[in-house]
Amino acid sequence: MHFCWISLIILSLSRVQAQFYGGNAYEASSGQSIRLGLITDDATDRIRQTFEHAISVVNNELGVPLVGETEQVAYGNSVQAFAQLCRLMQSGVGAVFGPAARHTASHLLNACDSKDIPFIYPHLSWGSNPDGFNLHPSPEDIANALYDIVNQFEWSRFIFCYESAEYLKILDHLMTRYGIKGPVIKVMRYDLNLNGNYKSVLRRIRKSEDSRIVVVGSTTGVAELLRQAQQVGIMNEDYTYIIGNLNLHTFDLEEYKYSEANITGIRMFSPDQEEVRDLMEKLHQELGESEPVNSGSTFITMEMALTYDAVRVIAETTKHLPYQPQMLNCSERHDNVQPDGSTFRNYMRSLEIKEKTITGRIYFEGNVRKGFTFDVIELQTSGLVKVGTWEEGKDFEFQRPPQAVNFNDIDDGSLVNKTFIVLISVATKPYASLVESIDTLIGNNQFQGYGVDLIKELADKLGFNFTFRDGGNDYGSFNKTTNSTSGMLKEIVEGRADLAITDLTITSEREEVIDFSIPFMNLGIAILYVKPQKAPPALFSFMDPFSSEVWLYLGIAYLGVSLCFFIIGRLSPIEWDNPYPCIEEPEELENQFTINNSLWFTTGALLQQGSEIAPKALSTRTISAIWWFFTLIMVSSYTANLAAFLTIENPTSPINSVKDLADNKDDVQYGAKRTGSTRNFFSTSEEPIYIKMNEYLNAHPEMLMENNQQGVDKVKSGTKYAFLMESTSIEFNTVRECNLTKVGDPLDEKGYGIAMVKNWPYRDKFNKALLELQEQGVLARLKNKWWNEVGAGVCSAKSDDDGPSELGVDNLSGIYVVLVIGSIISIIISILCWCYFVYKKAKNYEVPFCDALAEEFRIVIRFSENERPLKSAQSIYSRSRNSSQSIESLKTDSEENMPVED
Ligand code: ASP
């Protein structure tokens, strides 16, 4: 009876309260509103204000409005909190938002669970108690984000600083992700219970070699740690902190902005979001809260944001699921439960909400919230700046916006005693390389090269100090679409390096995010290819001095003139001669210009030989003289040209211009450095030929090289590969690799500059010093040293111009072939003639051909005798079956056909 009375009083009190907080009061059992209870231990009243604001926002969209009831309890006072919960239950609450104190919340969760009332806990939970409905990212996901950020920083060791044992769960997950091959992690605990004094821990950090620290802990704990870190002196440019607390944006970071310490963290929402701005406005009105001065900061905590979002989830659920919370008795003896409570809670977890929330997409896998993103934020002088977006399962990469450095307050612009980090690329000779030495070199002594010397010269002039660091092969580019930079550019933009010197081309795209000095070298893109190879001498290279037409006309002239001799000789009476001079009145005259003799005469003249045929008539002499003159000129020309042709071999190259390359003439492939201005030249050019080449390069990524050396090696390997490279680098390589050459003219004109951070205050001084070095001839001297002296001289001038070389067998093999073939032909002719002679002899003596052949053969092989009997057929005759033939007839025959002894 008493209980009924008390309940009635509490109920009526709660209605009054609901009216006060939620605007309209509705009967819980009337079905016209849904009560939400907030039990908060937040003394600042911000959580309550957020809760009320969220309800008023969602009520604009709801048919059945939400009514908020807030119970303020002391932090950690579970008894008080439970009493308030009872009161809420009796008033018919549909869902309860728990306090921050974990044990209190855990207690309330159990009570709500037993009554099937959804319990909402908007704080980081550890998977055990308290759990309920929690929108906070799990410790595993926070560990995943920290893992990706550490990977981006490429840390090989760091300190993991945690506040209390539960945060070891993050470490545990990190270690699981790393497996056995992770960075070295030194684990240190700081604990508020140690009188809030972390200085001993921080001093240990200062004394250790580590300067990279991952900090996890409560919002108050982490904020205090950073404050004390500054006091201990480890909040400076040597230290990098990654903060694993989602409330970094609420910290007062003013003190650390100029400390140059790198502080990176994560947050779930930006202060610029509409929902956040509305809430800030509300808190400003209600509590007089003012906006923080630093950009990127807000006083809206994760707890407030998650309270707001949880109200949004409840509102969305009520749109789909009718829910009429009943008044309950909180005593455990009463087993009354909220009839649709567990269904309502399950439905909340099955929803996916993408809009009108503060912390982004809400979606659950089991009890764990997933599918959200973190803004990765970094403290810069302007405040917190977003430098990337982390999303589970996606590769995380920093996307730092170009940093506008304010150098106004730096100093008077003097470089004296300043130390700069200078990026070089040690794989790019001659600009920089590692010194080869048996001693272990450290620091700047490890490096040598044109760029290294140039920085030394500048340092001598301007008085600054420098530390060289290898920046790799990727010089970098700026992507306007994603606003991201890469390679050396990124290092400079993000302030990890001050200068970069290598074969770094000045481009407008790079100029958008960094500055360049005036160019210290001018160049253009050209083609590196193997030197034209000497063609192997052709078999009939002795024919080369004359073109085939000349040979043809020479043959025609030879035949024509021989015919003329034959005709003119017959027409000239003087050429008709007495064949037997001792017979004074011969019966017949003979003309020496038979067709045979005519051909022989012209042949003798053509080959500069005699023929023992002497023209006697004027006409034949005239034509002889003309023919001799003709052959004199022809032979002289041939001789002169032959020497040149045989000794100077014309080297041939399949490609002579960029057009040949674009056409893949003779199947020559080509490529360039994978990243950099050369590749960009083709990808941005609007010239049809370069567009075509760009398409080829896109289609053949295997032709793109990581650095110039790889390209040079591929060209050298002789696999019909040409490398598009900058003319200065080509020049360097062709002096050292004798079989390489530059093909064609440069495709463009540009220069190399020293890269520096945008608006660098020392740029003018640098440029002036560079100009002085140029005027004093220092740049020329350095160029000569690194191009023509160090490691050069391998290719002597001789190799370019070999001069006349002796003729080899290859050069003259054709003429040998002619000789052999001619000899074989003459042997064949002589054998044929010999057979014909034997045939005629056998016919005359009427002996078998074989007998005659055997007899003649015997005579021929009688090498000791140089004479043969006049009638050598006698022996044949004697053995012949036709022995009746007279000696007379034999004599006649032998006189006509057989060799006759003198
Ligand atoms: N000099 C170029 C650059 O600055 C590199 C190259 O393309 O060869 O990216």
Side-chain angles (χ1 to χ4, degrees):
M1 191 65 192
H2 277 106
F3 182 79
C4 280
W5 275 113
I6 293 166
S7 300
L8 218 63
I9 293 164
I10 292 175
L11 191 62
S12 38
L13 271 174
S14 69
R15 281 178 198 160
V16 173
Q17 205 170 18
Q19 219 162 10
F20 178 75
Y21 288 127
N24 298 319
Y26 295 88
E27 287 290 333
S29 53
S30 69
Q32 297 196 1
S33 69
I34 298 168
R35 277 174 201 282
L36 303 182
L38 168 71
I39 300 173
T40 176
D41 49 15
D42 167 39
T44 63
D45 206 27
R46 286 177 181 172
I47 296 281
R48 184 179 70 84
Q49 290 292 347
T50 307
F51 180 63
E52 296 299 334
H53 172 69
I55 289 176
S56 67
V57 170
V58 296
N59 274 349
N60 294 331
E61 303 167 16
L62 296 178
V64 180
L66 305 179
V67 177
E69 285 187 38
T70 307
E71 304 294 349
Q72 184 74 41
V73 296
Y75 187 87
N77 190 338
S78 301
V79 178
Q80 188 193 12
F82 185 69
Q84 301 297 2
L85 177 66
C86 277
R87 206 187 62 72
L88 289 170
M89 282 185 188
Q90 283 155 8
S91 68
V93 75
V96 173
F97 287 66
R102 201 135 18 90
H103 297 297
T104 312
S106 169
H107 191 54
L108 299 187
L109 168 70
N110 287 335
C112 284
D113 262 2
S114 65
K115 298 289 175 189
D116 266 359
I117 296 173
F119 181 81
I120 292 133
Y121 185 67
H123 305 269
L124 177 63
S125 84
W126 301 101
S128 51
N129 286 329
D131 197 348
F133 180 83
N134 194 338
L135 286 173
H136 200 289
S138 66
E140 283 80 8
D141 281 330
I142 293 177
N144 285 337
L146 294 178
Y147 173 87
D148 287 339
I149 297 171
V150 170
N151 277 356
Q152 267 292 294
F153 276 123
E154 296 176 2
W155 286 355
S156 58
R157 53 182 303 135
F158 62 89
I159 297 176
F160 183 84
C161 238
Y162 70 102
E163 185 180 343
S164 51
E166 53 266 29
Y167 291 96
L168 285 175
K169 193 161 184 182
I170 294 180
L171 177 67
D172 182 44
H173 194 71
L174 267 181
M175 306 282 264
T176 316
R177 291 277 322 255
Y178 284 124
I180 46 168
K181 286 190 300 203
V184 178
I185 306 176
K186 193 187 266 183
V187 183
M188 288 188 175
R189 181 175 180 183
Y190 65 99
D191 194 341
L192 262 188
N193 298 332
L194 303 170
N195 303 327
N197 188 348
Y198 309 143
K199 291 196 180 116
S200 60
V201 178
L202 296 169
R203 270 195 294 271
R204 269 178 28 230
I205 294 178
R206 193 184 59 197
K207 284 181 187 152
S208 75
E209 57 178 310
D210 291 291
S211 55
R212 291 147 175 194
I213 307 154
V214 173
V215 186
V216 291
S218 66
T219 304
T220 11
V222 176
E224 183 58 24
L225 182 95
L226 292 183
R227 202 177 64 79
Q228 296 191 18
Q230 193 180 34
Q231 291 169 352
V232 170
I234 56 168
M235 190 59 80
N236 56 45
E237 72 269 29
D238 296 333
Y239 287 84
T240 306
Y241 296 84
I242 300 177
I243 308 296
N245 181 293
L246 293 176
N247 278 327
L248 177 64
H249 58 271
T250 63
F251 291 14
D252 179 7
L253 299 167
E254 188 60 22
E255 292 289 299
Y256 319 130
K257 275 198 317 192
Y258 303 103
S259 68
E260 292 186 41
N262 185 338
I263 301 178
T264 303
I266 44 179
R267 70 178 181 205
M268 281 196 88
F269 57 91
S270 152
D272 302 330
Q273 279 171 233
E274 197 187 324
E275 293 78 13
V276 180
R277 299 212 74 82
D278 288 350
L279 180 56
M280 281 162 68
E281 176 67 31
K282 158 91 178 166
L283 293 177
H284 176 66
Q285 284 168 11
E286 298 292 333
L287 304 174
E289 303 273 12
S290 50
E291 251 182 72
V293 275
N294 286 322
S295 82
S297 290
T298 167
F299 51 78
I300 307 296
T301 60
M302 268 301 279
E303 293 70 37
M304 292 158 78
L306 295 182
T307 303
Y308 182 96
D309 285 353
V311 172
R312 165 61 60 190
V313 177
I314 291 171
E316 292 299 321
T317 311
T318 61
K319 284 183 191 169
H320 301 95
L321 198 73
Y323 187 39
Q324 289 193 352
Q326 304 296 310
M327 293 189 284
L328 302 176
N329 192 317
C330 73
S331 163
E332 285 193 4
R333 278 178 288 134
H334 289 83
D335 57 356
N336 52 354
V337 292
Q338 203 54 267
D340 298 321
S342 50
T343 316
F344 191 80
R345 186 179 50 222
N346 292 342
Y347 202 90
M348 280 165 72
R349 288 202 184 110
S350 69
L351 281 178
E352 182 179 356
I353 303 174
K354 291 183 181 160
E355 286 172 352
K356 299 179 188 167
T357 61
I358 292 182
T359 60
R361 182 179 171 215
I362 294 176
Y363 147 81
F364 278 83
E365 277 174 18
N367 285 351
V368 183
R369 182 174 174 185
K370 289 282 176 190
F372 54 85
T373 57
F374 286 134
D375 285 353
V376 178
I377 46 176
E378 192 176 82
L379 182 63
Q380 295 180 1
T381 43
S382 56
L384 284 172
V385 175
K386 180 178 168 184
V387 291
T389 303
W390 180 90
E391 190 173 349
E392 192 188 9
K394 296 215 172 133
D395 287 343
F396 168 70
E397 235 188 84
F398 283 123
Q399 287 161 352
R400 291 185 168 91
Q403 190 178 351
V405 184
N406 183 3
F407 290 109
N408 288 341
D409 49 359
I410 288 190
D411 53 28
D412 59 349
S414 160
L415 283 90
V416 177
N417 289 337
K418 296 264 170 348
T419 302
F420 301 123
I421 296 174
V422 186
L423 294 178
I424 49 176
S425 171
V426 294
T428 317
K429 276 184 180 175
Y431 305 96
S433 61
L434 287 171
V435 177
E436 286 169 15
S437 163
I438 45 166
D439 302 326
T440 316
L441 300 174
I442 50 163
N444 291 343
N445 292 341
Q446 300 170 80
F447 309 108
Q448 61 174 7
Y450 176 91
V452 173
D453 282 0
L454 183 52
I455 290 292
K456 284 180 185 163
E457 294 283 350
L458 287 167
D460 284 349
K461 265 192 182 302
L462 299 171
F464 63 87
N465 304 319
F466 52 88
T467 307
F468 287 117
R469 185 152 68 75
D470 183 17
N473 294 323
D474 184 3
Y475 301 167
S477 55
F478 170 56
N479 187 331
K480 272 191 209 162
T481 330
T482 60
N483 205 24
S484 59
T485 47
S486 60
M488 290 188 182
L489 224 64
K490 189 173 177 177
E491 300 266 308
I492 293 181
V493 166
E494 294 176 0
R496 287 196 289 274
D498 301 292
L499 302 167
I501 185 163
T502 178
D503 52 334
L504 184 67
T505 310
I506 302 172
T507 63
S508 58
E509 171 213 295
R510 287 172 175 164
E511 276 271 5
E512 289 194 29
V513 282
I514 55 165
D515 275 345
F516 280 101
S517 66
I518 54 162
F520 58 82
M521 207 177 270
N522 295 311
L523 56 298
I525 300 171
I527 303 164
L528 178 76
Y529 196 57
V530 281
K531 269 198 183 143
Q533 299 299 303
K534 291 179 178 175
L539 187 61
F540 294 106
S541 54
F542 65 87
M543 304 273 289
D544 290 347
F546 289 158
S547 67
S548 40
E549 286 89 14
V550 174
W551 284 116
L552 178 71
Y553 296 142
L554 181 63
I556 293 172
Y558 163 75
L559 292 174
V561 171
S562 303
L563 195 64
C564 284
F565 270 110
F566 175 65
I567 295 167
I568 293 171
R570 295 185 82 79
L571 292 176
S572 310
I574 296 176
E575 296 295 349
W576 291 97
D577 241 347
N578 178 1
Y580 310 107
C582 46
I583 300 173
E584 285 198 357
E585 288 184 3
E587 286 179 7
E588 53 184 22
L589 296 175
E590 198 181 59
N591 194 320
Q592 62 176 340
F593 284 105
T594 61
I595 194 75
N596 253 345
N597 283 351
S598 301
L599 287 168
W600 182 237
F601 179 79
T602 45
T603 305
L606 190 61
L607 299 179
Q608 311 279 280
Q609 304 299 321
S611 59
E612 297 206 352
I613 295 166
K616 284 183 255 171
L618 181 64
S619 55
T620 50
R621 284 184 175 174
T622 308
I623 191 168
S624 298
I626 294 297
W627 178 243
W628 286 339
F629 180 67
F630 172 78
T631 55
L632 174 75
I633 300 300
M634 288 302 278
V635 169
S636 314
S637 310
Y638 176 83
T639 313
N641 226 10
L642 182 67
F645 263 82
L646 294 186
T647 52
I648 300 166
E649 291 145 284
N650 260 346
T652 52
S653 174
I655 52 161
N656 294 306
S657 65
V658 71
K659 185 171 179 315
D660 292 344
L661 207 58
D663 293 343
N664 290 110
K665 203 173 154 198
D666 201 25
D667 289 336
V668 175
Q669 315 283 304
Y670 58 91
K673 197 178 148 189
R674 190 180 302 283
T675 55
S677 59
T678 306
R679 181 73 192 86
N680 275 2
F681 169 80
F682 291 99
S683 50
T684 54
S685 175
E686 286 172 7
E687 291 283 317
I689 186 164
Y690 302 142
I691 292 174
K692 181 177 171 186
M693 290 174 83
N694 184 45
E695 282 163 7
Y696 172 87
L697 293 174
N698 284 339
H700 296 85
E702 73 280 4
M703 296 294 156
L704 299 174
M705 301 293 139
E706 293 315 319
N707 55 36
N708 283 346
Q709 191 52 47
Q710 278 185 13
V712 173
D713 291 343
K714 192 160 167 69
V715 175
K716 271 194 313 188
S717 67
T719 47
K720 287 197 170 186
Y721 177 81
F723 190 58
L724 292 153
M725 194 177 175
E726 285 162 336
S727 52
T728 40
S729 304
I730 292 185
E731 206 182 306
F732 173 79
N733 280 290
T734 49
V735 178
R736 284 153 185 83
E737 303 290 348
C738 311
N739 60 339
L740 299 186
T741 190
K742 184 177 103 168
V743 176
D745 296 326
L747 316 187
D748 61 352
E749 277 180 18
K750 49 199 180 189
Y752 292 149
I754 301 174
M756 52 191 73
V757 71
K758 194 103 188 133
N759 301 330
W760 206 48
Y762 313 114
R763 186 180 169 196
D764 289 345
K765 286 210 159 52
F766 239 67
N767 285 344
K768 191 164 164 283
L770 258 179
L771 269 179
E772 280 170 17
L773 291 179
Q774 200 173 39
E775 284 158 10
Q776 291 159 1
V778 177
L779 294 189
R781 173 169 59 75
L782 290 182
K783 170 115 195 266
N784 190 46
K785 172 182 168 191
W786 288 103
W787 264 253
N788 301 326
E789 290 172 8
V790 180
V794 180
C795 307
S796 62
K798 184 176 174 291
S799 59
D800 264 354
D801 177 17
D802 283 346
S805 53
E806 78 263 20
L807 300 179
V809 175
D810 284 350
N811 300 99
L812 297 172
S813 52
I815 202 73
Y816 284 102
V817 170
V818 171
L819 178 66
V820 170
I821 293 175
S823 306
I824 292 169
I825 291 172
S826 52
I827 288 169
I828 292 169
I829 291 172
S830 78
I831 290 170
L832 288 177
C833 292
W834 182 65
C835 290
Y836 182 64
F837 159 73
V838 174
Y839 164 75
K840 281 191 82 180
K841 185 176 165 185
K843 204 172 164 201
N844 272 346
Y845 292 107
E846 293 179 351
V847 291
F849 177 75
C850 290
D851 289 349
L853 191 68
E855 181 64 26
E856 272 305 312
F857 187 70
R858 249 177 264 120
I859 294 168
V860 169
I861 62 168
R862 221 178 282 142
F863 295 117
S864 55
E865 291 174 22
N866 236 2
E867 292 156 356
R868 61 182 288 160
L870 180 62
K871 297 175 180 57
S872 58
Q874 258 180 344
S875 56
I876 303 167
Y877 177 74
S878 62
R879 273 179 275 128
S880 166
R881 276 179 282 121
N882 301 323
S883 52
S884 58
Q885 192 164 10
S886 70
I887 298 294
E888 276 315 301
S889 69
L890 264 179
K891 184 171 183 264
T892 321
D893 266 1
S894 64
E895 279 167 3
E896 279 177 22
N897 300 312
M898 308 289 288
V900 178
E901 279 179 344
D902 288 334

